[in-house]
Each structure stands twice: as C-alpha cells, then as structure tokens.
C-alpha cells in the first residue's frame, strides 16, 4: 500500500543541518543538470527508459508468471529562484508495458507542489499538495487480486504547517487531509467494483524540540487522526480515530552521523466492536552515517497504521526496518545496495505477512545529460496466521535503463 497511513507522515523539523552531503545528494561537478530558466523558475526535465525482466509479475506462488517489460518515466521539476519564499512543482508519469501479459500493463501520473513562506527570520509556513493516479504495488497489502489488472486509485493529499523558533525552542503545528478513490478492475474476465475501499483521513500534529547544543535536540511529537470509509459503499463500519505519541532526539554527532530516533505509543480505536482497538509500542527513526566522503549508510525504522484493503480488515499495522549503502566508486559511478524487512499485521482477520526486500544497482553518468543504470531487486514474502488470504512468493526483477536530463 502507499506510504500514507491514517496519520500522514509529517516532515520533522530537527533544526539540525548536515555539514556533509551524502553520496546520493552530492553530484560531481560537470555531471549536474543545468536546467532551463523560465521566468522566476528553473525547469529540470528528465526521462528514464527501462527494460527489464520480472520472474513473478503477480508476486504469487500460486500463479507464477515471468515476463519482460518496458517502462517510460518522464518527470518535470520546476524550482523557484526567488530571493524569498520557495516553491517546487513536480509532475511525473510511469508507463509500463509487458511483452505478453498485457493485462498487467499500467499507467500512473501525478503532480506535487511544495511551498515555503518565510514570515520573518524565525517563522515559516510549509504547504504541500498532491494529486495523482497510482496503482497498488504487486505483492503488497493493497494488491488483493492475483492474476488480474493492477489495482488503481486516485489520491489527493494536502498538508500545512507552521514552524516557529523561539530561541533554543522549536515549535511545529500542522494538519493534513487525504482522500483515496478506487474504481473498477478486471479479474478473470470479470469487473470488480472496489469503491468499498474509498478512504478519507483528517489529521493534526504538533512537535516541540529544544536545542541542548548545536548538535543535540530532544523533541516530543503527537499526532491525531480520524479515518473513515464512505457511507454509501460500506457494508461494515470500519471508521476509527487515534493518536501517536513519540519522544526522541535529533542528533548531528560531527558530520559523520545525522538523524533522529523516537519511541512512544500508538493507539487506534474503532467504532465497530468487531475490530479490537490497537494500542502499543511505537517507534520511528532515521540515521545517516557517512564514514567517508565516498560512502553513506542509511538506517530507517517506522511503525504505522495503514488503511484496510478489504471489507473485513479495519487496518493494517506495518512495522519496517531498512538499511541502505551508497558508495561512490568513481566520480560518475554510484553503487547502491539495500535490504528491508516488513512485518504486517491485519486487524480483523488472523493474518500476518513477513516480507523481505533487497536490491543492488549501479548508476554510471556518461555526461551531464545521459546516464545508464543497471539493477536487480529481490522480494520474498511468507504468510502467518490461519487466514486463507495469506500470500507467499519469491520474486526477482532485472532492469537496465537510460536516463536523459537537461
């Protein structure tokens, strides 16, 4: 399922800035995109063309089908060049076509705008809006039909926050609104109506941090959400509300280690007694370790409550841990490897999934306009619980691509 949960992920203000750019954030001189100046904006158009082979396109051990594919992914980024305030607009598309199983073809597109208003030297207003047509990734919780067309949905999200710095104290207050709309999909020559999955979420969040020193800032954050499924299409009440409380610390211990770690409590209460309330340990963390100027190690961990993909599921608790390594072998050759573990617990049925993802890739820049990428990704899932809806699979994806940028 998409990353948006009942409580939308909110950008955390640490007040700490890295003194050393990571390998992926740093672009070698002579290989950076120049862009096209238009008025007060600079446009950065890119297009990626990938060809690959998927050993299990439906991510299922019951229907294992291999196929070759081609993907076209254009993207346009517009960044403001104003002296004050900032605005970035990104429009993208992803068009994927399979050689034989054309029912698996997909077309995605969307746009996102991010803005920052500088209201004085100590006050900022952040605004974000997204509108997109996406699909549920194969093998994830939202991919409920095996062998059919990809499950598509429309999503609209918005977020606004105010950040205020009062000496050593940093404050942030924000709110978000999200709407997901599902249509129809084809399965075994039948058309399935998925409007029962339509979902709406409203949330509020707050955060307070204190700079003990220039490199350490303890913080406390709390978020509230109210989740609902449309009245007209529901067959069982799955509405809920809840909160997440986190306490932690943001650190920049020299230029080598930057990030934040928080632990706390997560709670979600459902209006229908059929679903047991959720309450328990919560955590969120992100650390970036740069042992040398040529290598970056990233650790991410998160626990969140995702929306239910079927009528009998009110929510999905997803716990994840991911480690990634980037290494600059040459100025124009970046190597990457990552591995992630997901534990998914369904509320309403006796089912849990354990998923392992990993991959390696290499990106070679020929010049500032052209680069080549080779990658291999592996995913493995094993189900737990008594539910017959559990899903098991092993999957490899091989890719070779060319990216063009201006």
């Amino acid at each position: 399922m998409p990353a948006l949960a009942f409580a939308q992920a909110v950008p955390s203000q640490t007040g700490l800035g890295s003194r050393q750019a990571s390998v992926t954030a740093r672009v070698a001189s002579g290989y950076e995109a120049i862009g096209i100046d238009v008025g007060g904006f600079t446009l950065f158009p890119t297009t990626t063309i990938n060809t690959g082979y998927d050993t299990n396109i439906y991510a299922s051990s019951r229907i294992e089908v291999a196929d070759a594919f081609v993907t076209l992914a254009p993207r346009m980024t517009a960044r403001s060049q104003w002296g004050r305030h900032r605005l970035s607009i990104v429009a993208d598309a992803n068009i994927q076509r399979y050689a034989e199983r054309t029912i698996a073809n997909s077309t995605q597109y969307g746009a996102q705008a991010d803005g920052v208003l500088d209201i004085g030297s100590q006050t900022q207003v952040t605004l974000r809006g997204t509108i997109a047509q996406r699909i549920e990734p194969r093998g994830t919780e939202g991919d409920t039909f095996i062998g059919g067309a990809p499950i598509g949905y429309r999503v609209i999200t918005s977020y606004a926050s105010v950040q205020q710095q009062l000496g050593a104290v940093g404050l942030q207050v924000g709110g978000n609104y999200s709407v997901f709309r599902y249509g129809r999909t084809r399965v075994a020559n039948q058309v399935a109506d998925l409007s029962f999955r339509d979902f709406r979420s409203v949330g509020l969040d707050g955060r307070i941090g204190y700079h003990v020193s220039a490199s350490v800032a303890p913080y406390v954050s709390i978020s509230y959400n109210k989740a609902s499924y449309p009245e007209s299409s529901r067959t069982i009440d799955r509405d809920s509300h809840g909160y997440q409380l986190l306490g932690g610390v943001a650190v920049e211990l020299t230029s080598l280690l930057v990030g934040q770690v928080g632990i706390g409590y997560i709670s979600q209460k459902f209006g229908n007694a059929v679903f047991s309330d959720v309450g328990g340990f919560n955590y969120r963390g992100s650390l970036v370790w740069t042992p040398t100027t040529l290598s970056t190690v990233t650790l991410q961990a998160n626990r969140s409550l995702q929306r239910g993909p079927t009528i009998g599921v009110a929510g999905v608790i997803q716990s994840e841990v991911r480690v990634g390594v980037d290494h600059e072998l040459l100025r124009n050759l970046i190597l990457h490897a990552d591995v992630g573990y997901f534990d998914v617990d369904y509320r309403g049925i006796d089912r849990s999934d354990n998923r392992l993802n990993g991959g390696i890739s290499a990106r070679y820049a020929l010049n500032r306009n052209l680069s080549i990428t080779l990658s291999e990704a592996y995913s493995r899932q094993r189900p737990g619980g008594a539910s017959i809806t559990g899903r098991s699979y092993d999957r490899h994806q091989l890719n070779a691509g060319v990216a063009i940028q201006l």
Side-chain angles (χ1 to χ4, degrees):
M1 297 178 72
L4 279 167
F6 285 141
Q8 180 178 341
V10 177
S12 299
Q13 304 299 320
T14 67
L16 304 176
S18 175
R19 290 186 288 263
Q20 180 169 294
S22 65
V23 170
T24 54
R26 184 178 64 247
V27 180
S29 177
Y31 295 96
E32 68 273 30
I34 297 178
I36 304 170
D37 292 329
V38 178
F41 288 83
T42 301
L43 306 182
F44 297 92
T46 63
T47 299
T48 302
I49 303 173
N50 281 309
T51 182
Y53 185 77
D54 193 329
T55 64
N56 191 349
I57 66 172
Y58 298 123
S60 171
S61 59
R62 287 182 285 173
I63 306 177
E64 290 195 29
V65 177
D67 204 351
F69 61 86
V70 174
T71 302
L72 175 65
R75 180 185 180 94
M76 174 66 76
T77 301
R79 297 176 188 159
S80 65
Q81 301 299 324
W82 308 329
R84 187 180 180 188
H85 312 307
R86 296 183 296 279
L87 177 63
S88 174
I89 302 174
V90 178
D92 68 89
N94 187 290
I95 304 166
Q96 188 170 56
R97 296 293 181 264
Y98 285 86
E100 298 181 3
R101 295 287 178 134
T102 56
I103 193 174
N105 293 347
S106 64
T107 300
Q108 304 180 70
Y109 49 87
Q112 176 172 309
D114 291 89
V116 177
L117 301 177
D118 293 316
I119 306 176
S121 61
Q122 303 297 316
T123 307
Q124 282 190 338
V125 176
T126 299
L127 303 171
R128 175 181 301 129
T130 301
I131 181 170
Q133 175 71 34
R134 303 301 186 195
I135 65 170
E136 299 283 6
R138 294 291 190 180
T140 61
E141 304 78 67
D143 180 33
T144 53
F145 294 117
I146 300 175
I151 295 176
Y153 62 91
R154 297 188 304 276
V155 57
I156 299 176
T157 70
S158 59
Y159 177 73
S161 71
V162 179
Q163 299 92 40
Q164 177 70 51
Q165 196 69 34
L166 301 172
V169 178
L171 302 174
Q172 175 181 306
V173 178
N176 63 79
Y177 178 73
S178 304
V179 177
F180 293 78
R181 298 290 187 188
Y182 289 80
R184 301 174 184 271
T185 190
R186 290 183 296 135
V187 182
N189 297 321
Q190 300 292 323
V191 177
D193 183 4
L194 302 181
S195 60
F196 68 88
R197 291 178 60 169
D198 290 354
F199 176 81
R200 185 180 300 111
S201 176
V202 178
L204 298 172
D205 64 86
R207 176 181 172 121
I208 181 170
Y210 180 78
H211 286 258
V212 176
S213 67
S215 59
V216 178
Y219 71 88
V220 175
S221 68
I222 185 171
S223 62
Y224 171 83
N225 71 83
K226 184 175 182 180
S228 62
Y229 298 82
E231 190 77 34
S232 60
S233 61
R234 86 172 69 168
T235 58
I236 184 173
D237 183 7
R238 293 185 288 162
D239 292 357
S240 66
H241 66 276
Y243 67 90
Q244 296 186 39
L245 179 65
L246 286 170
V249 60
V251 298
E252 185 174 351
L253 304 178
T254 74
S255 60
L256 300 183
L257 183 63
V258 178
Q260 55 186 315
V261 177
I263 59 174
Y265 188 79
I266 183 172
S267 173
Q268 196 77 16
K269 296 184 180 298
F270 299 93
N272 194 327
V274 171
F275 305 109
S276 59
D277 294 340
V278 174
F281 178 67
N282 191 27
Y283 59 85
R284 183 179 302 158
S286 177
L287 294 173
V288 178
W289 178 41
T290 309
T292 72
T293 57
L294 301 179
S295 301
T296 301
V297 180
T298 303
L299 171 64
Q300 294 179 317
N302 186 44
R303 197 163 191 249
S304 61
L305 186 63
Q306 306 286 341
R307 60 194 187 279
T310 62
I311 292 176
V313 177
V316 177
I317 300 177
Q318 180 172 285
S319 305
E320 61 177 296
V321 178
R322 178 170 294 277
V323 178
V325 179
D326 295 283
H327 181 68
E328 184 180 304
L329 189 63
L330 301 173
R331 291 180 63 252
N332 57 338
L333 177 59
I334 305 297
L335 306 180
H336 172 81
D338 67 83
V339 61
Y341 176 78
F342 295 79
D343 179 80
V344 184
D345 182 23
Y346 293 72
R347 311 301 295 189
I349 60 175
D350 185 12
R351 175 184 170 183
S352 62
D353 294 332
N354 298 297
R355 185 163 63 247
L356 181 68
N357 292 341
I360 56 175
S361 66
R363 179 172 60 85
Y364 181 75
L366 299 174
N367 50 52
R368 70 169 71 250
N369 302 119
L370 189 64
S371 62
I372 299 173
T373 301
L374 299 175
S375 67
E376 197 276 341
Y378 172 72
S379 55
R380 177 184 185 272
Q381 179 170 293
R382 295 295 183 265
S387 175
I388 62 174
T389 61
R391 187 171 185 171
S392 176
Y393 64 86
D394 290 89
R395 184 185 189 189
H396 288 270
Q397 293 173 294
L398 304 174
N399 284 272
V402 176
I404 304 170
Q405 68 178 19
L406 298 179

